[in-house]
Amino acid sequence: MTHPKPRYEGSLFLVFLGVVNVLGIMMALWLTRTEPSQGQDPAPLPEQPQLVTTPPVTTQPRVLTFTLTLSEPDDLKVRQGDAVAVGDVLADRTRERTALQTQLEQTQLSLQRIQAQQVLDPPEPLPVPPVAGLPPVFYGTEEAHIAAIEDRIDLQKRKIDLLSTMPPSDVPPAMREHEDRILEGLYRDLELAKAALKQAQEQRAHQEYEHSLAMARRAEEANQQRLALNQQRQQAEQQRREKTFQEAQLQAQIETINTKLSDLSTVRSPYAGTIRRVKWLGQSDNRLTVEITLAIGGSVSPGPAAAGIQPLPSPGPGD
């Protein structure tokens, strides 16, 4: 048994055919319009308008901020609202630089004076004069005198002995007394001669003692000269060390001053513009810190009436 197809399936098929026909007609019409007729140039397309862009124009200035360290308020050479050109001085620590320049010159002069000083070695001392030597010991004169007197005494004794052997009648008493007195005189001369020899010996001993003292004094003087020379050499070496130390110390001071001077270089404006603001930040260790705001570019006119620039009170420490 066959079942009849639903009626709505045939309706859908008819709708589909109608849509296809409509699409075909529209395609044919579109092709007819777009294809140019034979022997006729295609119509030119209208020119599209070009979009011209221009950079945005700004009237706001570019702002640079400088933080400076000063010694005193007068070191700041600009005020709020001042117009500056490239290279204009913003700050210059003139007084401190002058003081450092003076200190540098004085230190350099001190260094030159020390470098000009010459430390000389002490001269060699003159040699100590030598002590004259003693003559050789000689007592020949005194000894010869004594020997001569002794010979005369022996001769006188034999003469007296000879008189003793003669008969008393042949020898007058006065002769015997005379010969005895001659012998006594010879003995006295012998004692004097021996005393002269002893005196000569004592003089020699004294001379030798004085000579030994002179030799000792000469040795001591030579030793003192050596000690004095060594001391003078040590003093000269100490002076050289002190000179070297002072030169190094002054050279270090000069380098320190030059470093300080380099830190005190003049601050110049790198751009042309207007001082927009001056703000004192504070003080520390006798140093003032200030902040400068420089407006460059834009259409800002100098003075507090410029756009975005408000007048500030006069700058000073603690502002």
Side-chain angles (χ1 to χ4, degrees):
M1 180 177 177
T2 60
H3 296 281
K5 295 182 181 179
R7 185 177 298 176
Y8 68 90
E9 291 182 357
S11 300
L12 290 176
F13 180 75
L14 294 176
V15 171
F16 176 75
L17 290 177
V19 170
V20 170
N21 292 330
V22 171
L23 291 176
I25 294 170
M26 292 178 63
M27 182 65 68
L29 293 174
W30 182 80
L31 291 174
T32 304
R33 289 183 178 181
T34 55
E35 289 181 0
S37 59
Q38 187 175 3
Q40 185 180 0
D41 294 335
L45 296 176
E47 295 183 357
Q48 298 295 327
Q50 296 182 356
L51 180 61
V52 179
T53 60
T54 58
V57 178
T58 178
T59 59
Q60 295 296 327
R62 188 157 59 97
V63 175
L64 296 179
T65 301
F66 305 91
T67 301
L68 307 178
T69 301
L70 309 178
S71 301
E72 54 187 14
D74 292 340
D75 292 341
L76 184 62
K77 305 304 180 182
V78 294
R79 297 293 182 265
Q80 180 182 342
D82 289 352
V84 295
V86 176
D88 284 355
V89 177
L90 301 180
D92 189 7
R93 295 155 70 172
T94 308
R95 183 177 300 180
E96 188 172 355
R97 180 184 292 103
T98 302
L100 287 175
Q101 286 287 358
T102 302
Q103 184 180 357
L104 178 62
E105 293 175 359
Q106 293 176 352
T107 307
Q108 288 175 342
L109 288 177
S110 299
L111 179 60
Q112 291 175 1
R113 284 196 298 268
I114 292 178
Q115 289 176 343
Q117 295 176 358
Q118 293 184 355
V119 180
L120 302 178
D121 291 326
E124 292 291 337
L126 296 176
V128 180
V131 178
L134 291 176
V137 178
F138 179 73
Y139 303 113
T141 303
E142 291 79 5
E143 291 173 351
H145 189 201
I146 291 173
I149 294 173
E150 288 176 347
D151 290 343
R152 290 175 62 188
I153 289 174
D154 290 340
L155 181 61
Q156 186 66 22
K157 284 180 179 181
R158 287 195 298 268
K159 187 176 180 180
I160 291 173
D161 291 342
L162 180 60
L163 290 176
S164 299
T165 60
M166 294 175 62
S169 58
D170 294 338
V171 180
M175 182 182 292
R176 180 60 183 266
E177 292 177 2
H178 176 69
E179 296 299 331
D180 290 338
R181 286 196 294 271
I182 291 175
L183 182 59
E184 291 175 0
L186 290 174
Y187 276 118
R188 287 194 296 272
D189 292 341
L190 180 61
E191 293 297 329
L192 292 176
K194 290 181 178 181
L197 176 60
K198 184 177 180 181
Q199 184 179 3
Q201 292 173 345
E202 291 176 352
Q203 288 180 352
R204 176 68 183 192
H206 181 71
Q207 290 175 355
E208 291 177 352
Y209 173 73
E210 291 293 338
H211 184 267
S212 65
L213 290 180
M215 293 295 292
R217 285 193 297 268
R218 182 181 184 278
E220 181 64 21
E221 186 176 354
N223 186 40
Q224 290 297 329
Q225 282 188 349
R226 286 192 297 271
L227 292 177
L229 179 61
N230 292 334
Q231 185 177 4
Q232 291 173 358
R233 288 175 176 172
Q234 292 176 0
Q235 291 176 353
E237 187 63 27
Q238 180 65 24
Q239 291 176 0
R240 290 191 185 94
R241 288 194 294 267
E242 291 178 356
K243 178 183 177 183
T244 303
F245 174 75
Q246 292 176 356
E247 289 177 353
Q249 191 175 28
L250 290 175
Q251 192 65 44
Q253 292 179 6
I254 291 175
E255 293 177 359
T256 301
I257 295 173
N258 285 328
T259 301
K260 292 181 179 180
L261 285 173
S262 63
D263 294 338
L264 294 180
S265 58
T266 302
V267 180
R268 300 181 181 274
S269 177
Y271 303 101
T274 303
I275 302 300
R276 182 172 183 175
R277 185 180 182 187
V278 176
K279 181 180 180 182
W280 296 91
L281 302 179
Q283 179 176 356
S284 176
D285 297 332
N286 296 325
R287 291 290 183 268
L288 300 173
T289 304
V290 61
E291 182 182 86
I292 298 177
T293 302
L294 175 65
I296 61 175
S299 60
V300 178
S301 60
I309 302 178
Q310 299 297 327
L312 295 177
S314 300
D319 285 355

